[in-house]
Each structure stands twice: as C-alpha cells, then as structure tokens.
C-alpha cells in the first residue's frame, strides 16, 4: 500500500559518503519539539557511526501548527544555495525558541548568508522543493515528525542513540 | 509505539458497501450530512478523541495534507464522539480547515453503523473510509488506536476515483 519514499535526488541534503553502508533519512520540521529532541541524538549517532552512515534531511514542515516552520525551512534552503545547509540546519535546531523572521535574518547575517538569497527564499523560491519533500514523505508513510527511514524502511523503534546505532548497524550488515 | 488496543478486526464496512447516511453536528448550530457531500469523493476519518499530542497527531497531519485531498476533489471530515464545543476548541487550537463532526448523541451511532465503535471504551476506532462520488465505500482501514495511519492510504485510494483538477496546486 505505502509507496517507498523517493530515492535520493540531486537537491537532497546529504551528509556523508555515497559509498556508506547505510542511509538514514529524517523527515523533520525545524519547529517541532520532538525533532529538537532527536537532533542531539542523531548527532551522536552520526559521530559514532562515522563513514558507515549517510544522513539525509528532508522537509516536513507542519505549517498549520508551527507558525515558523515554513520560514525556517525556507531559510535552510536558502543557506543550501550558499553551501551552508548543515550550518543552518544545526543553528535552527539549536535555537528552536527563536525562529521568528527577525531571528532568521540575524542567523543569516551571522552565517554570512547573502540577504538576497534569504529574501528570495522567503518569497517562495524553494517552496516547490519543500512541498515535494513533504508530499514524497506523505506518500511514503510519514505520519508525523520526526520520521526516520533506514535504507528506505520506516524506523519505528526507540529514538535513543543505542537503539538507533543497533538498527543502523543491522541494516548496514544486511546491505554488505 | 506500544500497539495495545488492536482494532476489532473485520467489523469495519468493507469496500463495495453503500456508505450509511448520517447527519451530525458540525458546529453548535450547523449539521452536515453525508448526502450533502454527494458528487465528490469523501474521506471519513474516525478517531478516538480530540486533544491527542500534536506532532504525531493524525488530525493535524490530515489537515496539512488537505490541499492535496482537494486536488482530488475530495472532502475530508473528522468524526469522534466528542461534543461540538470540544470540537470547536480543538479545531481552533489546531487551525483545522475541515469539519469535525460530533458523533455524540446517540453516542457513537455513526461509528457503530460503519462498524468502528469500541463499545468498551465509548470511542470510535481510528478508522478511515474513502467514499466515492456515488456514496459507495471504496477503501476502508482500521489502525491500532495508538498508531497514526498517515495519509498515504487515502491518497492511494483517491487516485482512481477522481479526475485530477490540474492547476489547482498552490
């Protein structure tokens, strides 16, 4: 019934080596508190797994319940144009309480992000990509945030470092 | 995550069945009946109760996917045994853009007719029905109470039903 999530595309945000044994895809919302809780966990998992793991972030903004979620996603996409996606991603998750427009502009300045890129993003330059991420996730069975997929399979286990490393390592073994 | 409360299997009305009519309160002074929605695909989302936690909440997710349902010409309604004032507060807080119907008196009667009432708990199952423009159930799905079924099954069921209104995308 459920389609697979879309395969990796050229405009995906990917951290890690294409030769990695296992790929973890997160569908996330920058204003979602559960994604905020998952952020340091996923960092720890990435650090523990090193080159074995490829991490991908896709947008799943719940714009009706999170007033700043779309703007934050636009900000991160603008940063991606300047090669600063992961800096933006981390900054957003480390500052979830201040995601209003003024704060986003200040974050952009702090990162050295061209204000014109941010303005274009706020006007919708990346909305099609954000929507494509969202709908691809919906069709693939994303039912809330964060949703995690390991080598394309939805992960419904506990979201602590040890459980994730165990599941990712098992998936890496299968692949090899 | 714990999948306690498994659905009572096999009681939900299956595809091919004529969808039972209902008229339920949508607001304190308005009702909505299935017959009024004839001519379009209709999605019925039965759920146990208002006010479940937000980020993984089914109703909030369906609300986000609503523009996509509209692209298929479909209307979405949520149904639970909560009363109209509860629904009104919940819909306002979650910024819902579709009606929540109160299956409140006689309690759960509509859920019963669709075979998705949990008499022991007094709530509807977490159940989805996709009804075609002629009022025939084309797809139904009951998920464990604690599991948000997502929207992929609904979209899959809508695909063959309606000519897509292209160009309606935001």
């Amino acid at each position: 019934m459920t389609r697979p999530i879309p395969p990796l595309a050229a405009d995906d945000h990917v951290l890690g080596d294409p030769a990695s044994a296992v790929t973890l895809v997160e569908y996330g919302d920058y204003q979602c508190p559960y994604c905020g809780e998952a952020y340091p966990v996923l960092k720890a998992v990435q650090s523990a797994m090193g080159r074995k793991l490829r991490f991908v972030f896709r947008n799943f903004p719940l714009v009706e319940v999170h007033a700043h979620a779309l703007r934050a996603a636009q900000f991160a996409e603008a940063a991606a144009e300047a090669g600063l996606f992961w800096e933006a991603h981390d900054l957003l998750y480390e500052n979830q309480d201040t995601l209003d427009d003024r704060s986003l502009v200040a974050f952009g300045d702090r990162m050295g992000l061209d204000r014109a890129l941010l303005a274009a993003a706020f006007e919708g330059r990346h909305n099609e990509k954000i929507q494509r991420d969202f709908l691809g996730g919906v069709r693939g069975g994303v039912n809330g945030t964060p949703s995690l997929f390991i080598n394309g399979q939805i992960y419904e286990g506990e979201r602590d470092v040890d459980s994730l490393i165990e599941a990712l390592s098992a998936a890496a073994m299968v692949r090899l | 995550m714990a999948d306690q409360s498994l659905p009572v299997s096999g009681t939900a009305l299956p595809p091919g069945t004529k969808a039972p009519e209902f008229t339920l309160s949508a607001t304190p002074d308005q009702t909505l009946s299935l017959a009024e929605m004839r001519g379009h695909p209709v999605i019925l989302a039965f759920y146990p109760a208002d006010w479940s936690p937000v980020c993984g909440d089914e109703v909030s997710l369906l609300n986000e996917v609503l523009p996509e349902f509209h692209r298929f010409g479909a209307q979405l309604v949520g149904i639970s045994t909560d009363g109209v004032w509860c629904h009104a507060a919940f819909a306002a807080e979650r910024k819902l853009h579709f009606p929540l119907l109160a299956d409140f008196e006689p309690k759960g009667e509509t859920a019963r007719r669709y075979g998705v009432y949990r008499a022991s708990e007094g709530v509807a199952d977490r159940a989805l029905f996709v009804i075609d423009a002629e009022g025939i159930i084309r797809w139904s799905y009951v998920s464990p109470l604690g599991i948000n079924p997502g929207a992929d099954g609904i979209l899959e069921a809508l695909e063959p039903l309606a000519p897509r209104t292209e160009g309606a995308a935001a």
Side-chain angles (χ1 to χ4, degrees), chain B residues 20-83:
Chain B
E21 286 299 332
F22 58 77
T23 299
L24 294 169
S25 293
T27 70
D29 53 10
Q30 286 176 303
T31 60
L32 183 65
S33 61
L34 183 61
E36 290 172 60
M37 295 184 278
R38 193 62 46 83
H40 300 275
V42 174
I43 304 153
L44 302 184
F46 288 91
Y47 62 100
D50 293 341
W51 304 109
S52 54
V54 74
C55 287
D57 175 50
E58 178 189 5
V59 171
S60 295
L61 178 77
L62 297 181
N63 192 44
E64 301 282 348
V65 185
L66 196 59
E68 192 65 8
F69 298 150
H70 288 166
R71 274 163 51 97
F72 287 97
Q75 298 202 43
L76 169 67
V77 297
I79 304 178
S80 79
T81 54
D82 296 288

Side-chain angles (χ1 to χ4, degrees), chain A residues 100-119:
Chain A
D100 57 287
D101 287 5
R102 184 175 297 195
S103 300
L104 294 177
V105 170
F107 293 154
D109 289 346
R110 197 197 301 177
M111 287 168 45
L113 178 63
D114 183 346
R115 280 199 176 190
L117 289 180
L118 188 54

Side-chain angles (χ1 to χ4, degrees), chain B residues 42-133:
Chain B
V42 174
I43 304 153
L44 302 184
F46 288 91
Y47 62 100
D50 293 341
W51 304 109
S52 54
V54 74
C55 287
D57 175 50
E58 178 189 5
V59 171
S60 295
L61 178 77
L62 297 181
N63 192 44
E64 301 282 348
V65 185
L66 196 59
E68 192 65 8
F69 298 150
H70 288 166
R71 274 163 51 97
F72 287 97
Q75 298 202 43
L76 169 67
V77 297
I79 304 178
S80 79
T81 54
D82 296 288
V84 286
W85 296 105
C86 184
H87 274 339
F90 180 58
E93 209 256 356
R94 299 285 162 90
K95 300 189 175 68
L96 303 182
H97 302 298
F98 62 93
L100 298 181
L101 305 183
D103 196 9
F104 184 71
E105 180 58 37
K107 188 178 181 187
E109 189 187 346
T110 299
R112 267 179 233 275
R113 287 206 200 131
Y114 280 79
V116 294
Y117 188 64
R118 305 174 70 93
S120 57
E121 290 129 275
V123 298
D125 259 320
R126 201 172 281 288
L128 297 167
F129 293 87
V130 170
I131 298 167
D132 70 15

Side-chain angles (χ1 to χ4, degrees), chain A residues 120-134:
Chain A
F122 281 178
E123 281 165 23
R125 180 187 282 182
H126 308 288
N127 286 11
E128 188 276 333
K129 186 230 187 301
I130 294 168
Q131 180 71 357
R132 184 154 38 84
D133 278 1
F134 179 84

Side-chain angles (χ1 to χ4, degrees), chain A residues 53-110:
Chain A
L53 176 68
R54 180 166 60 161
F55 178 63
V56 180
F57 182 89
R58 287 179 176 162
N59 297 292
F60 204 83
L62 299 171
V63 301
E64 298 288 348
V65 286
H66 295 146
H68 306 305
L70 179 60
R71 281 280 197 254
Q74 290 169 333
F75 172 85
E77 292 298 331
E81 278 190 276
L84 298 169
F85 174 78
W86 293 103
E87 288 84 344
H89 166 276
D90 291 2
L91 200 53
L92 293 169
Y93 277 125
E94 287 162 16
N95 295 276
Q96 278 197 306
D97 294 337
T98 50
L99 297 179
D100 57 287
D101 287 5
R102 184 175 297 195
S103 300
L104 294 177
V105 170
F107 293 154
D109 289 346
R110 197 197 301 177

Side-chain angles (χ1 to χ4, degrees), chain A residues 12-31:
Chain A
D12 267 318
H13 306 300
V14 182
L15 203 56
D17 187 337
S20 304
V22 59
T23 300
L24 174 64
V25 177
E26 176 186 12
Y27 281 86
D29 169 327
Y30 293 110
Q31 203 185 341

